């Protein structure tokens, strides 16, 4: 590959890199032929993929625009925003939260990849609630999800793991709040990556 980073086989959002393209430009350099999940093939500049500027052939933006202009589409509602964030953290490697969801094997069931079906199953999101998985080791599907307020989520099983550090015992959620860390980050450090308690809390 003459020193170029080989992106073949890598996924960027909805795009999977198939092969290097003969196309070159002075400003954008190397291009790659990418297959989108919708089936289209498009030439994308290497830097656009690596930096997360392009994550589909353009179909995602088209879908968003359709939803914006579709009556009763729900675009922009609290329910839609929760659905979109759920999809991003489970399917988009460029999403900051992907490492704690999609990469960890947390998936969205096929039916819920359609927002209309998700809304039918879950109903509209109530104020001060977010989507919560009852069994936090399983993915997003009807029987495992609910709209829950902060107190309910704080009492969820995984969040009740207790840790003792410097003579004080708190739940992971309590330690995360105390140290100004995101809960999922602290949980991953302790339970997935096997960090020591001191390293997880003080890094």
């Amino acid at each position: 590959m003459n020193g170029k980073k080989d992106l073949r086989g890598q996924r960027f959002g909805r795009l999977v890199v198939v092969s290097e393209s003969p196309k070159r430009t002075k400003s954008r350099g190397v291009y790659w032929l990418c297959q989108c999940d919708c089936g289209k093939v498009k030439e994308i500049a290497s830097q656009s993929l690596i930096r997360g500027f392009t994550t589909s052939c353009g179909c995602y933006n088209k879908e968003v625009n359709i939803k914006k202009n579709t009556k009763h589409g729900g675009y922009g509602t609290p329910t839609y925003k929760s659905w979109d964030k759920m999809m991003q953290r489970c399917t988009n490697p460029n999403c900051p939260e992907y490492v704690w969801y999609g990469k960890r094997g947390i998936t969205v069931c096929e039916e819920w990849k359609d927002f209309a079906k998700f809304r039918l199953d879950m109903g509209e999101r109530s104020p001060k609630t977010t989507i919560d998985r009852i069994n936090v080791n399983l993915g997003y599907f009807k029987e495992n999800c609910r709209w829950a307020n902060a107190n309910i989520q704080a009492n969820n099983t995984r969040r009740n793991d207790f840790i003792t550090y410097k003579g004080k015992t708190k739940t992971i959620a309590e330690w995360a709040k105390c140290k100004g860390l995101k809960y999922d980050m602290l949980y991953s450090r302790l339970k997935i990556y096997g960090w020591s308690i001191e390293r997880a809390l003080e890094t």
Side-chain angles (χ1 to χ4, degrees):
M1 299 298 293
N2 298 322
K4 297 186 294 293
K5 186 173 182 179
D6 190 355
L7 302 183
R8 287 177 295 183
Q10 294 190 42
R11 174 175 282 276
F12 298 89
R14 297 185 178 190
L15 299 169
V16 174
V17 179
V18 178
S19 63
E20 186 177 345
S21 168
K23 182 178 179 179
R24 297 285 188 281
T25 64
K26 289 183 179 180
S27 60
R28 308 192 76 184
V30 178
Y31 278 69
W32 298 89
L33 286 174
C34 301
Q35 173 107 34
C36 185
D37 288 347
C38 73
K40 292 183 180 179
V41 175
K42 189 172 182 179
E43 292 176 308
I44 311 290
S46 182
Q47 291 303 309
S48 291
L49 293 169
I50 294 171
R51 295 179 181 179
F53 296 151
T54 305
T55 57
S56 78
C57 69
C59 61
Y60 177 75
N61 289 333
K62 289 180 181 178
E63 289 173 11
V64 169
N65 288 331
I66 288 172
K67 285 166 182 171
K68 282 182 180 179
N69 296 308
T70 300
K71 190 175 181 180
H72 308 307
Y75 181 84
T77 64
T79 306
Y80 181 88
K81 290 177 181 178
S82 288
W83 173 82
D84 187 53
K85 288 180 180 178
M86 172 187 73
M87 292 297 298
Q88 289 296 315
R89 60 180 172 257
C90 290
T91 65
N92 183 1
N94 296 312
C95 175
E97 295 180 326
Y98 179 81
V99 65
W100 302 304
Y101 290 86
K103 190 173 182 179
R104 196 167 71 86
I106 302 301
T107 60
V108 178
C109 68
E110 283 300 317
E111 291 85 354
W112 279 12
K113 290 178 182 178
D114 179 347
F115 170 66
K117 177 60 176 173
F118 169 80
R119 185 169 60 174
L120 180 65
D121 286 343
M122 289 293 293
E124 296 294 349
R125 174 181 150 191
S126 302
K128 296 183 180 181
T129 64
T130 57
I131 190 167
D132 180 55
R133 285 171 293 128
I134 298 167
N135 184 333
V136 293
N137 294 310
L138 300 179
Y140 290 92
F141 53 92
K142 182 178 180 180
E143 293 77 13
N144 194 45
C145 292
R146 59 189 172 183
W147 295 120
N149 60 33
N151 289 332
I152 292 175
Q153 294 203 35
N155 288 324
N156 206 343
T157 304
R158 192 178 76 178
R159 291 167 169 79
N160 284 333
D161 286 336
F162 286 91
I163 295 171
T164 299
Y165 179 60
K166 292 184 176 181
K168 296 181 180 180
T169 300
K170 303 176 186 288
T171 64
I172 293 179
E174 288 171 335
W175 277 118
K177 183 176 181 180
C178 179
K179 293 294 184 177
L181 300 170
K182 287 186 176 180
Y183 170 80
D184 284 323
M185 176 186 290
L186 181 56
Y187 179 89
S188 296
R189 288 176 174 181
L190 292 167
K191 302 296 184 178
I192 298 176
Y193 303 123
W195 287 22
S196 68
I197 294 175
E198 181 178 11
R199 181 187 178 194
L201 292 174
E202 301 299 341
T203 298

